[in-house]
Coordinates of all heavy atoms in Angstrom, one line a residue:
M1 N 112.2 109.5 91.0 CA 112.6 108.2 91.6 C 113.9 108.5 92.4 O 114.8 109.1 91.8 CB 112.8 107.2 90.5 CG 113.3 105.9 91.0 SD 113.7 104.6 89.8 CE 112.1 104.4 89.0
D2 N 114.0 107.9 93.6 CA 115.2 108.0 94.3 C 116.3 107.2 93.6 O 116.1 106.2 93.0 CB 115.0 107.4 95.7 CG 114.0 108.1 96.6 OD1 113.9 109.3 96.3 OD2 113.5 107.6 97.5
S3 N 117.5 107.7 93.8 CA 118.6 107.0 93.1 C 118.8 105.6 93.6 O 119.3 104.7 92.9 CB 119.9 107.8 93.2 OG 120.3 108.0 94.6
I4 N 118.5 105.3 94.9 CA 118.6 104.0 95.4 C 117.7 103.0 94.7 O 117.9 101.8 94.8 CB 118.4 103.9 96.9 CG1 117.0 104.3 97.3 CG2 119.5 104.7 97.6 CD1 116.7 104.1 98.8
H5 N 116.6 103.5 94.1 CA 115.7 102.6 93.4 C 115.9 102.6 91.9 O 115.2 101.8 91.2 CB 114.2 103.1 93.7 CG 113.9 103.0 95.1 ND1 113.5 104.0 95.9 CD2 113.9 101.9 96.0 CE1 113.3 103.6 97.1 NE2 113.5 102.3 97.2
R6 N 116.9 103.3 91.4 CA 117.2 103.3 90.0 C 118.0 102.0 89.7 O 119.0 101.7 90.4 CB 118.0 104.5 89.6 CG 118.1 104.7 88.1 CD 118.5 106.1 87.8 NE 117.4 107.0 88.0 CZ 117.5 108.2 88.7 NH1 118.7 108.5 89.3 NH2 116.5 109.0 88.9
I7 N 117.6 101.3 88.7 CA 118.3 100.1 88.3 C 119.5 100.5 87.3 O 119.3 101.1 86.3 CB 117.4 99.1 87.6 CG1 116.3 98.8 88.5 CG2 118.1 97.9 87.1 CD1 115.1 98.0 87.9
K8 N 120.7 100.2 87.8 CA 121.9 100.6 87.0 C 122.2 99.6 85.9 O 122.6 100.0 84.8 CB 123.1 100.7 87.9 CG 122.9 101.8 88.9 CD 124.0 101.9 89.9 CE 123.9 103.0 90.9 NZ 122.8 102.9 91.8
E9 N 121.9 98.3 86.1 CA 122.3 97.3 85.1 C 121.0 96.4 84.9 O 120.6 95.7 85.8 CB 123.4 96.4 85.6 CG 123.8 95.3 84.7 CD 124.2 95.8 83.3 OE1 125.0 96.7 83.1 OE2 123.6 95.2 82.3
T10 N 120.5 96.5 83.7 CA 119.2 95.8 83.4 C 119.5 94.6 82.5 O 118.5 93.8 82.2 CB 118.2 96.7 82.7 OG1 118.8 97.2 81.5 CG2 117.8 97.8 83.7
S11 N 120.7 94.3 82.0 CA 120.9 93.3 81.0 C 120.6 91.9 81.6 O 120.4 91.0 80.8 CB 122.3 93.4 80.5 OG 123.3 93.1 81.5
E12 N 120.7 91.7 82.9 CA 120.4 90.4 83.5 C 119.0 90.2 83.9 O 118.6 89.1 84.4 CB 121.4 90.2 84.7 CG 122.8 90.1 84.3 CD 123.2 89.0 83.3 OE1 122.7 87.8 83.6 OE2 123.9 89.2 82.4
L13 N 118.1 91.2 83.8 CA 116.7 91.1 84.2 C 115.9 90.4 83.1 O 116.1 90.7 81.9 CB 116.1 92.4 84.5 CG 116.6 93.2 85.7 CD1 116.0 94.5 85.8 CD2 116.4 92.3 87.0
L14 N 115.1 89.5 83.5 CA 114.1 88.9 82.6 C 113.1 90.0 82.2 O 112.8 90.9 83.0 CB 113.4 87.7 83.2 CG 114.3 86.5 83.5 CD1 113.5 85.5 84.2 CD2 115.0 86.0 82.3
S15 N 112.5 89.9 81.0 CA 111.5 90.8 80.6 C 110.2 90.1 80.3 O 110.3 89.1 79.5 CB 112.0 91.7 79.4 OG 111.0 92.6 79.1
P16 N 109.1 90.4 80.8 CA 108.9 91.5 81.8 C 109.4 91.0 83.2 O 109.4 89.8 83.5 CB 107.4 91.7 81.8 CG 106.8 90.4 81.5 CD 107.8 89.7 80.5
S17 N 109.7 91.9 84.1 CA 110.1 91.6 85.4 C 109.2 92.5 86.4 O 108.8 93.6 86.1 CB 111.6 92.0 85.7 OG 112.4 91.1 85.0
L18 N 109.1 91.9 87.6 CA 108.4 92.6 88.7 C 109.4 92.9 89.7 O 110.1 92.0 90.2 CB 107.2 91.8 89.2 CG 106.5 92.4 90.4 CD1 105.8 93.7 90.1 CD2 105.5 91.4 91.0
L19 N 109.6 94.2 90.0 CA 110.6 94.6 91.0 C 109.9 95.1 92.2 O 109.0 96.0 92.1 CB 111.6 95.6 90.5 CG 112.3 95.3 89.3 CD1 113.1 96.5 88.8 CD2 113.2 94.1 89.5
I20 N 110.2 94.6 93.4 CA 109.6 95.0 94.7 C 110.7 95.6 95.5 O 111.7 95.0 95.8 CB 109.0 93.8 95.4 CG1 108.0 93.0 94.5 CG2 108.4 94.2 96.7 CD1 106.8 93.8 94.2
Y21 N 110.4 96.8 95.9 CA 111.3 97.5 96.8 C 110.8 97.3 98.2 O 109.8 98.0 98.7 CB 111.4 99.0 96.5 CG 112.0 99.2 95.1 CD1 111.2 99.5 94.0 CD2 113.4 99.1 94.9 CE1 111.7 99.7 92.7 CE2 113.9 99.3 93.6 CZ 113.1 99.6 92.6 OH 113.6 99.7 91.3
R22 N 111.5 96.4 99.0 CA 111.0 96.1 100.3 C 110.9 97.3 101.2 O 110.0 97.4 102.0 CB 111.9 95.0 100.9 CG 111.9 93.7 100.2 CD 112.8 92.7 100.7 NE 112.4 92.2 102.0 CZ 111.4 91.2 102.2 NH1 110.9 90.7 101.1 NH2 111.1 90.8 103.3
D23 N 111.8 98.2 101.1 CA 111.8 99.4 102.0 C 110.5 100.2 101.7 O 109.9 100.8 102.6 CB 113.0 100.3 101.8 CG 113.3 100.8 100.4 OD1 112.9 100.0 99.4 OD2 113.8 101.9 100.2
V24 N 110.1 100.3 100.5 CA 108.9 101.1 100.1 C 107.7 100.3 100.6 O 106.8 100.9 101.2 CB 108.8 101.3 98.6 CG1 107.5 102.0 98.2 CG2 110.0 102.2 98.1
V25 N 107.7 99.0 100.4 CA 106.5 98.2 100.9 C 106.4 98.4 102.4 O 105.3 98.6 103.0 CB 106.6 96.7 100.5 CG1 105.6 95.9 101.2 CG2 106.6 96.6 99.0
R26 N 107.5 98.3 103.1 CA 107.5 98.5 104.6 C 107.0 99.8 105.0 O 106.2 100.0 105.9 CB 108.9 98.2 105.2 CG 108.8 98.3 106.7 CD 110.1 97.8 107.3 NE 110.0 97.7 108.8 CZ 110.2 98.8 109.6 NH1 110.6 100.0 109.0 NH2 110.1 98.7 110.9
E27 N 107.5 100.9 104.3 CA 107.0 102.2 104.6 C 105.5 102.3 104.4 O 104.8 103.0 105.2 CB 107.7 103.3 103.7 CG 109.1 103.5 104.1 CD 109.9 104.4 103.1 OE1 109.2 105.1 102.3 OE2 111.1 104.4 103.1
N28 N 105.0 101.7 103.3 CA 103.6 101.7 103.0 C 102.8 101.0 104.1 O 101.7 101.4 104.5 CB 103.3 101.2 101.7 CG 103.7 102.1 100.5 OD1 103.9 103.3 100.7 ND2 103.8 101.5 99.4
L29 N 103.3 99.9 104.6 CA 102.6 99.1 105.6 C 102.6 100.0 106.9 O 101.5 100.0 107.6 CB 103.4 97.8 105.9 CG 103.2 96.7 104.9 CD1 104.2 95.6 105.2 CD2 101.8 96.2 104.8
L30 N 103.7 100.6 107.3 CA 103.7 101.4 108.5 C 102.7 102.6 108.3 O 102.0 103.0 109.3 CB 105.1 101.9 108.8 CG 106.1 100.8 109.1 CD1 107.5 101.4 109.3 CD2 105.7 100.1 110.4
E31 N 102.6 103.2 107.2 CA 101.7 104.3 106.9 C 100.3 103.8 107.0 O 99.4 104.5 107.6 CB 102.0 105.0 105.6 CG 101.1 106.2 105.3 CD 101.4 107.4 106.2 OE1 102.5 107.4 106.9 OE2 100.6 108.3 106.3
M32 N 100.0 102.7 106.5 CA 98.7 102.1 106.6 C 98.3 101.9 108.0 O 97.1 102.2 108.4 CB 98.7 100.7 105.8 CG 97.3 100.1 105.6 SD 97.4 98.7 104.4 CE 98.4 97.5 105.3
I33 N 99.2 101.3 108.8 CA 98.9 101.1 110.3 C 98.7 102.4 111.0 O 97.7 102.6 111.8 CB 100.1 100.4 110.9 CG1 100.2 98.9 110.4 CG2 100.0 100.3 112.4 CD1 101.5 98.2 110.7
K34 N 99.4 103.4 110.6 CA 99.3 104.8 111.2 C 97.9 105.4 110.9 O 97.2 105.9 111.7 CB 100.4 105.7 110.7 CG 100.3 107.1 111.3 CD 101.5 107.9 110.7 CE 101.3 109.4 110.9 NZ 102.3 110.2 110.2
I35 N 97.5 105.3 109.6 CA 96.2 105.8 109.2 C 95.1 105.1 109.9 O 94.1 105.7 110.3 CB 96.1 105.8 107.6 CG1 97.1 106.8 107.0 CG2 94.7 106.0 107.2 CD1 97.2 106.6 105.5
A36 N 95.2 103.8 110.0 CA 94.1 103.0 110.6 C 94.1 103.1 112.1 O 93.2 102.7 112.8 CB 94.3 101.5 110.2
R37 N 95.2 103.7 112.7 CA 95.4 103.8 114.1 C 95.5 102.5 114.8 O 94.9 102.2 115.8 CB 94.3 104.7 114.7 CG 94.5 106.1 114.4 CD 93.4 107.0 115.0 NE 92.5 107.3 113.9 CZ 91.1 107.2 114.1 NH1 90.6 106.9 115.2 NH2 90.3 107.4 113.0
G38 N 96.2 101.6 114.2 CA 96.5 100.3 114.8 C 96.2 99.1 113.8 O 95.4 99.2 112.9
V39 N 97.0 98.0 114.1 CA 96.9 96.8 113.3 C 95.5 96.1 113.4 O 95.1 95.4 112.5 CB 98.0 95.9 113.5 CG1 99.3 96.5 113.1 CG2 98.1 95.4 115.0
D40 N 94.9 96.2 114.6 CA 93.6 95.5 114.8 C 92.5 96.0 113.9 O 91.5 95.3 113.7 CB 93.2 95.7 116.3 CG 94.1 94.9 117.2 OD1 94.8 94.0 116.8 OD2 94.2 95.3 118.4
R41 N 92.7 97.2 113.3 CA 91.6 97.8 112.5 C 91.9 97.5 111.0 O 91.2 98.0 110.1 CB 91.6 99.3 112.7 CG 91.3 99.6 114.2 CD 91.2 101.1 114.4 NE 90.1 101.6 113.6 CZ 89.7 102.8 113.8 NH1 90.2 103.6 114.7 NH2 88.7 103.3 113.0
L42 N 92.9 96.7 110.7 CA 93.2 96.4 109.3 C 92.9 94.9 109.0 O 93.1 94.0 109.7 CB 94.7 96.6 109.1 CG 95.2 98.0 109.2 CD1 96.7 98.1 109.1 CD2 94.6 98.8 108.0
R43 N 92.5 94.8 107.7 CA 92.3 93.5 107.1 C 92.6 93.7 105.6 O 91.7 93.8 104.8 CB 90.9 92.9 107.3 CG 90.8 91.4 106.8 CD 89.4 90.8 107.0 NE 89.2 90.5 108.4 CZ 89.5 89.4 109.0 NH1 90.2 88.5 108.4 NH2 89.1 89.2 110.3
P44 N 93.9 93.8 105.3 CA 94.2 94.1 103.9 C 93.8 93.0 102.9 O 93.9 91.8 103.3 CB 95.7 94.3 103.9 CG 96.2 93.7 105.2 CD 95.1 93.7 106.1
H45 N 93.5 93.3 101.7 CA 93.1 92.4 100.7 C 94.3 92.0 99.9 O 95.0 92.8 99.3 CB 92.0 93.1 99.8 CG 91.1 92.1 99.2 ND1 91.4 91.0 98.5 CD2 89.7 92.1 99.1 CE1 90.4 90.3 98.1 NE2 89.3 91.0 98.4
V46 N 94.6 90.7 99.9 CA 95.8 90.2 99.3 C 95.7 90.2 97.7 O 96.8 90.0 97.1 CB 96.3 88.9 99.8 CG1 96.6 89.0 101.3 CG2 95.4 87.8 99.5
K47 N 94.6 90.4 97.2 CA 94.5 90.4 95.7 C 95.3 91.5 95.1 O 95.5 91.4 93.9 CB 93.0 90.4 95.3 CG 92.3 91.7 95.4 CD 90.9 91.7 94.8 CE 90.2 93.0 94.9 NZ 88.9 93.0 94.3
T48 N 95.6 92.5 95.8 CA 96.4 93.6 95.2 C 97.9 93.2 95.0 O 98.6 93.8 94.2 CB 96.4 94.8 96.1 OG1 96.9 94.5 97.4 CG2 95.0 95.3 96.3
H49 N 98.4 92.1 95.7 CA 99.8 91.7 95.5 C 99.9 90.3 95.3 O 100.8 89.8 94.6 CB 100.6 92.2 96.7 CG 100.2 91.7 98.0 ND1 100.4 90.4 98.4 CD2 99.5 92.3 99.0 CE1 99.9 90.3 99.7 NE2 99.4 91.4 100.0
K50 N 99.1 89.4 95.9 CA 99.2 87.9 95.8 C 100.6 87.4 96.0 O 101.1 86.5 95.3 CB 98.7 87.5 94.4 CG 97.3 87.9 94.1 CD 96.9 87.5 92.8 CE 95.5 88.1 92.4 NZ 94.5 87.2 92.0
M51 N 101.3 87.9 97.1 CA 102.7 87.6 97.3 C 102.9 87.2 98.7 O 102.6 87.9 99.7 CB 103.6 88.7 96.9 CG 103.5 89.1 95.5 SD 104.6 90.5 95.1 CE 106.2 89.7 95.4
A52 N 103.5 86.0 98.9 CA 103.8 85.5 100.2 C 104.7 86.4 101.0 O 104.6 86.6 102.2 CB 104.4 84.0 100.1
D53 N 105.7 86.9 100.3 CA 106.7 87.8 101.0 C 106.0 89.0 101.6 O 106.4 89.5 102.7 CB 107.8 88.3 100.0 CG 108.8 87.2 99.7 OD1 108.8 86.2 100.4 OD2 109.6 87.4 98.8
I54 N 105.0 89.6 100.9 CA 104.3 90.7 101.4 C 103.4 90.3 102.6 O 103.3 91.1 103.6 CB 103.6 91.5 100.3 CG1 104.6 92.1 99.4 CG2 102.7 92.6 100.9 CD1 104.1 92.8 98.2
V55 N 102.8 89.2 102.6 CA 102.0 88.7 103.7 C 103.0 88.5 104.9 O 102.7 89.0 106.0 CB 101.4 87.3 103.4 CG1 100.8 86.7 104.7 CG2 100.3 87.5 102.3
Q56 N 104.2 88.0 104.7 CA 105.1 87.8 105.8 C 105.6 89.2 106.3 O 105.8 89.3 107.5 CB 106.3 87.0 105.3 CG 105.9 85.5 105.1 CD 106.9 84.7 104.3 OE1 107.9 85.2 103.8 NE2 106.6 83.4 104.3
M57 N 105.8 90.1 105.4 CA 106.2 91.5 105.9 C 105.0 92.1 106.7 O 105.3 92.7 107.7 CB 106.5 92.4 104.7 CG 107.8 92.0 104.0 SD 108.1 93.1 102.5 CE 108.5 94.6 103.3
S58 N 103.8 91.9 106.3 CA 102.7 92.4 107.0 C 102.6 91.7 108.4 O 102.4 92.4 109.4 CB 101.4 92.1 106.3 OG 101.4 92.7 105.0
L59 N 102.8 90.4 108.5 CA 102.8 89.7 109.8 C 103.9 90.3 110.7 O 103.7 90.5 111.9 CB 103.0 88.2 109.5 CG 101.8 87.5 109.0 CD1 102.2 86.1 108.5 CD2 100.7 87.4 110.0
A60 N 105.1 90.6 110.1 CA 106.2 91.1 110.9 C 105.8 92.5 111.5 O 106.4 92.8 112.5 CB 107.4 91.2 110.0
E61 N 105.0 93.2 110.8 CA 104.5 94.5 111.3 C 103.3 94.4 112.3 O 102.8 95.4 112.7 CB 104.3 95.5 110.2 CG 105.5 95.8 109.4 CD 106.6 96.4 110.2 OE1 106.4 97.0 111.2 OE2 107.8 96.2 109.7
G62 N 102.8 93.2 112.5 CA 101.7 93.0 113.4 C 100.4 92.8 112.8 O 99.4 92.7 113.5
I63 N 100.3 92.9 111.5 CA 99.0 92.7 110.8 C 98.8 91.2 110.7 O 99.6 90.5 110.1 CB 99.1 93.4 109.3 CG1 99.4 94.9 109.4 CG2 97.8 93.1 108.6 CD1 99.7 95.5 108.1
T64 N 97.6 90.8 111.3 CA 97.4 89.4 111.3 C 96.1 88.9 110.6 O 95.8 87.7 110.6 CB 97.3 88.9 112.8 OG1 96.2 89.7 113.5 CG2 98.6 89.2 113.6
K65 N 95.3 89.9 110.2 CA 94.0 89.6 109.5 C 94.2 89.9 108.0 O 94.7 91.0 107.7 CB 92.9 90.3 110.1 CG 92.7 90.0 111.6 CD 91.5 90.8 112.2 CE 91.9 92.2 112.4 NZ 90.9 92.9 113.2
F66 N 93.7 89.0 107.2 CA 93.8 89.2 105.7 C 92.4 88.9 105.1 O 91.7 88.1 105.6 CB 94.9 88.3 105.2 CG 96.2 88.6 105.7 CD1 96.6 87.9 106.9 CD2 97.0 89.6 105.2 CE1 97.9 88.2 107.4 CE2 98.3 89.9 105.8 CZ 98.7 89.2 106.9
K67 N 92.2 89.5 103.9 CA 91.0 89.2 103.1 C 91.5 88.7 101.8 O 92.5 89.2 101.2 CB 90.2 90.5 102.9 CG 88.9 90.3 102.3 CD 88.0 91.5 102.1 CE 88.5 92.8 102.7 NZ 87.7 93.9 102.4
C68 N 90.7 87.7 101.2 CA 91.1 87.1 100.0 C 89.9 87.0 99.0 O 88.8 87.0 99.5 CB 91.6 85.7 100.2 SG 93.0 85.6 101.3
A69 N 90.2 87.0 97.7 CA 89.2 86.9 96.7 C 89.0 85.4 96.3 O 87.9 85.0 95.8 CB 89.5 87.8 95.5
T70 N 90.1 84.6 96.4 CA 90.0 83.3 95.9 C 90.6 82.3 97.0 O 91.3 82.7 97.9 CB 90.9 83.1 94.6 OG1 92.2 83.3 95.0 CG2 90.4 84.1 93.6
I71 N 90.3 81.0 96.8 CA 90.8 80.1 97.8 C 92.3 79.9 97.6 O 93.1 79.8 98.5 CB 90.1 78.7 97.6 CG1 88.7 78.8 98.0 CG2 90.9 77.6 98.3 CD1 87.9 77.6 98.0
A72 N 92.8 80.1 96.3 CA 94.3 80.1 96.1 C 94.9 81.2 96.9 O 96.0 80.9 97.5 CB 94.5 80.2 94.6
E73 N 94.4 82.3 97.0 CA 94.9 83.4 97.8 C 94.9 83.0 99.3 O 95.9 83.3 100.0 CB 94.2 84.7 97.6 CG 94.4 85.3 96.2 CD 93.4 86.5 95.9 OE1 92.7 86.9 96.8 OE2 93.5 87.0 94.8
A74 N 93.8 82.4 99.7 CA 93.7 82.0 101.1 C 94.7 80.9 101.4 O 95.3 81.0 102.5 CB 92.3 81.5 101.4
E75 N 94.9 80.0 100.5 CA 96.0 79.0 100.7 C 97.4 79.6 100.8 O 98.2 79.2 101.6 CB 95.9 78.0 99.6 CG 94.7 77.1 99.6 CD 94.4 76.3 98.4 OE1 95.0 76.7 97.3 OE2 93.7 75.3 98.5
M76 N 97.6 80.6 100.0 CA 98.9 81.3 100.0 C 99.1 82.0 101.3 O 100.2 82.0 101.9 CB 99.0 82.3 98.8 CG 100.3 83.1 98.7 SD 100.4 84.7 99.7 CE 99.0 85.6 99.0
V77 N 98.1 82.7 101.8 CA 98.2 83.4 103.1 C 98.4 82.4 104.2 O 99.3 82.6 105.1 CB 96.9 84.2 103.4 CG1 96.9 84.7 104.9 CG2 96.7 85.4 102.5
A78 N 97.7 81.3 104.2 CA 97.9 80.2 105.3 C 99.3 79.7 105.2 O 100.0 79.5 106.2 CB 96.9 79.1 105.1
A79 N 99.8 79.4 104.0 CA 101.2 78.9 103.8 C 102.2 79.9 104.3 O 103.3 79.5 104.6 CB 101.4 78.5 102.4
S80 N 101.9 81.1 104.2 CA 102.8 82.2 104.6 C 102.8 82.5 106.1 O 103.5 83.4 106.6 CB 102.5 83.5 103.9 OG 102.5 83.3 102.5
G81 N 101.9 81.8 106.9 CA 101.8 82.0 108.3 C 100.6 82.7 108.8 O 100.4 82.9 110.0
G82 N 99.7 83.2 107.9 CA 98.5 83.9 108.3 C 97.5 82.9 108.7 O 97.3 81.8 108.1
N83 N 96.7 83.2 109.8 CA 95.7 82.2 110.2 C 94.3 82.9 110.4 O 93.4 82.2 110.8 CB 96.1 81.4 111.4 CG 96.4 82.3 112.6 OD1 96.1 83.5 112.6 ND2 97.0 81.8 113.6
D84 N 94.2 84.1 110.1 CA 92.9 84.8 110.2 C 92.6 85.3 108.8 O 93.1 86.4 108.4 CB 92.9 86.0 111.2 CG 91.6 86.6 111.4 OD1 90.7 86.4 110.6 OD2 91.4 87.2 112.5
V85 N 91.9 84.5 108.0 CA 91.6 84.8 106.6 C 90.1 84.9 106.4 O 89.4 84.0 106.7 CB 92.3 83.7 105.7 CG1 92.1 84.1 104.3 CG2 93.8 83.6 106.0
L86 N 89.7 86.0 105.8 CA 88.3 86.1 105.4 C 88.3 85.9 103.9 O 89.0 86.6 103.1 CB 87.8 87.5 105.7 CG 86.5 87.9 105.2 CD1 85.4 87.1 105.9 CD2 86.2 89.4 105.4
L87 N 87.4 85.0 103.4 CA 87.2 84.8 102.0 C 86.0 85.7 101.6 O 84.9 85.5 102.1 CB 86.9 83.3 101.7 CG 87.0 82.9 100.3 CD1 88.3 83.2 99.6 CD2 86.7 81.4 100.2
A88 N 86.2 86.6 100.8 CA 85.3 87.7 100.5 C 84.2 87.3 99.5 O 83.3 88.2 99.2 CB 86.0 88.9 100.1
Y89 N 84.2 86.1 99.0 CA 83.2 85.7 98.0 C 82.6 84.4 98.4 O 83.2 83.6 99.0 CB 83.9 85.6 96.6 CG 84.4 87.0 96.1 CD1 85.7 87.4 96.3 CD2 83.5 87.9 95.5 CE1 86.1 88.7 95.9 CE2 83.9 89.1 95.1 CZ 85.2 89.5 95.3 OH 85.6 90.7 94.9
P90 N 81.3 84.2 97.9 CA 80.7 82.9 98.3 C 81.3 81.7 97.6 O 81.8 81.9 96.5 CB 79.2 83.2 97.8 CG 79.3 84.3 96.8 CD 80.5 85.1 97.2
L91 N 81.2 80.6 98.2 CA 81.8 79.4 97.7 C 80.7 78.6 97.0 O 79.6 78.5 97.5 CB 82.4 78.6 98.8 CG 83.6 79.2 99.5 CD1 84.0 78.4 100.7 CD2 84.8 79.4 98.6
V92 N 81.0 78.0 95.9 CA 80.1 77.1 95.2 C 80.9 75.9 94.7 O 82.1 75.9 94.5 CB 79.4 77.8 94.0 CG1 78.5 78.9 94.5 CG2 80.4 78.3 93.0
G93 N 80.2 74.8 94.4 CA 80.8 73.6 93.8 C 82.0 73.0 94.6 O 82.0 73.0 95.8
P94 N 83.0 72.6 93.9 CA 84.2 72.0 94.5 C 84.9 72.9 95.4 O 85.7 72.4 96.3 CB 85.0 71.5 93.3 CG 84.5 72.2 92.1 CD 83.1 72.6 92.4
N95 N 84.7 74.2 95.3 CA 85.5 75.1 96.2 C 85.1 74.9 97.6 O 85.9 75.2 98.5 CB 85.2 76.6 95.7 CG 86.1 76.9 94.6 OD1 87.1 76.4 94.3 ND2 85.6 77.9 93.8
V96 N 83.9 74.5 97.9 CA 83.4 74.2 99.3 C 84.3 73.2 99.9 O 84.8 73.4 101.1 CB 81.9 73.8 99.3 CG1 81.5 73.5 100.7 CG2 81.1 75.0 98.8
R97 N 84.5 72.1 99.3 CA 85.4 71.0 99.8 C 86.9 71.5 100.0 O 87.5 71.2 101.0 CB 85.4 69.8 98.9 CG 84.1 69.0 99.1 CD 84.1 67.7 98.3 NE 84.4 67.8 96.9 CZ 83.4 68.1 96.0 NH1 82.2 68.3 96.4 NH2 83.7 68.2 94.7
R98 N 87.3 72.2 99.0 CA 88.7 72.8 99.0 C 88.9 73.7 100.2 O 89.8 73.7 100.9 CB 89.0 73.5 97.7 CG 90.4 74.0 97.6 CD 90.6 74.5 96.2 NE 91.9 75.2 96.0 CZ 92.3 75.9 95.0 NH1 91.4 76.1 94.0 NH2 93.4 76.5 95.0
F99 N 87.8 74.6 100.4 CA 87.9 75.5 101.6 C 87.8 74.7 102.9 O 88.6 75.1 103.8 CB 86.8 76.5 101.5 CG 86.8 77.5 102.6 CD1 87.8 78.5 102.5 CD2 85.9 77.5 103.7 CE1 87.9 79.5 103.5 CE2 86.0 78.5 104.7 CZ 87.0 79.5 104.6
A100 N 87.0 73.7 103.0 CA 86.9 72.9 104.2 C 88.3 72.2 104.5 O 88.7 72.2 105.7 CB 85.9 71.8 104.1
R101 N 89.0 71.7 103.5 CA 90.3 71.2 103.7 C 91.3 72.2 104.2 O 92.1 72.0 105.1 CB 90.9 70.6 102.4 CG 90.3 69.2 102.1 CD 91.1 68.5 101.0 NE 91.2 69.3 99.8 CZ 90.3 69.3 98.8 NH1 89.3 68.6 98.8 NH2 90.5 70.1 97.7
L102 N 91.2 73.5 103.7 CA 92.1 74.5 104.1 C 91.8 74.9 105.6 O 92.7 75.1 106.3 CB 91.9 75.8 103.2 CG 92.7 77.0 103.6 CD1 94.2 76.8 103.6 CD2 92.3 78.2 102.7
A103 N 90.5 75.0 105.9 CA 90.1 75.4 107.3 C 90.7 74.4 108.3 O 91.1 74.7 109.3 CB 88.6 75.5 107.4

């Protein structure tokens, strides 16, 4: 672990805590874009992070298409500024109306 990512004082952290290193996430986004050879070829699945901040970081790097497993994830992407969202699972029951409202 790089010393810049080492936590020196943990007494104020809640337990459990989730720590996100923005620089590492950004590096990973840039590497993902490089491997895909462009943002147009990407549609990352937000179920791996479910975080508005990471959606916004993705948008800042030019990634505009997202895939979701749930309507809650799709709502989070939309609230974060994403407008090209693929819902990867079929809708049934009340989820159909909820999705129509979101669209």
Side-chain angles (χ1 to χ4, degrees):
M1 177 186 297
D2 293 338
S3 61
I4 62 170
H5 296 119
R6 191 166 289 127
I7 301 169
K8 294 174 181 65
E9 177 56 50
T10 61
S11 64
E12 296 297 316
L13 291 177
L14 297 174
S15 179
S17 288
L18 175 65
L19 302 175
I20 304 295
Y21 297 103
R22 295 179 72 81
D23 59 326
V24 174
V25 173
R26 184 169 184 275
E27 287 173 20
N28 288 342
L29 288 169
L30 294 174
E31 184 66 17
M32 189 168 68
I33 293 166
K34 179 181 167 187
I35 290 169
R37 288 181 260 133
V39 293
D40 293 336
R41 300 179 64 169
L42 291 172
R43 187 179 289 274
H45 210 307
V46 301
K47 75 177 181 179
T48 60
H49 58 76
K50 300 179 190 234
M51 297 179 67
D53 285 349
I54 294 179
V55 170
Q56 291 167 351
M57 289 177 73
S58 300
L59 288 166
E61 296 303 331
I63 299 170
T64 60
K65 299 181 285 189
F66 301 91
K67 187 178 356 174
C68 300
T70 67
I71 293 182
E73 291 170 3
E75 290 168 337
M76 181 271 300
V77 170
S80 302
N83 61 12
D84 188 339
V85 181
L86 172 69
L87 192 57
Y89 294 94
L91 298 171
V92 295
N95 281 335
V96 174
R97 286 187 300 282
R98 187 173 171 191
F99 185 73
R101 282 193 304 272
L102 175 60

